[in-house]
Amino acid sequence: MNMNFQVVPGYDHVLTITPQAPGTYPIVCNEFCGIGHQNMVGKIIVE
Ligand SMILES: [Cu+2]
């Protein structure tokens, strides 16, 4: 799965996905946003 999604501070965003397989899916910040950008990572774990 590969997609881009823009979020704006102060707003709620909903992204609906239907995982096709269990696994760990990484999330990275795709836009240089300032100090700490390189540490802006996350993950979705599908069991
Ligand atoms: Cu960033």
Side-chain angles (χ1 to χ4, degrees), residues 29 31-33 37 40:
C29 179
E31 185 167 328
F32 183 75
C33 56
H37 167 74
M40 297 183 70

Side-chain angles (χ1 to χ4, degrees), residues 7-46:
V7 295
V8 180
Y11 291 85
D12 293 333
H13 298 271
V14 176
L15 177 64
T16 302
I17 59 173
T18 304
Q20 301 300 307
T24 300
Y25 299 89
I27 301 169
V28 298
C29 179
N30 233 5
E31 185 167 328
F32 183 75
C33 56
I35 296 172
H37 167 74
Q38 71 277 7
N39 299 319
M40 297 183 70
V41 296
K43 61 185 168 185
I44 296 173
I45 300 171
V46 177

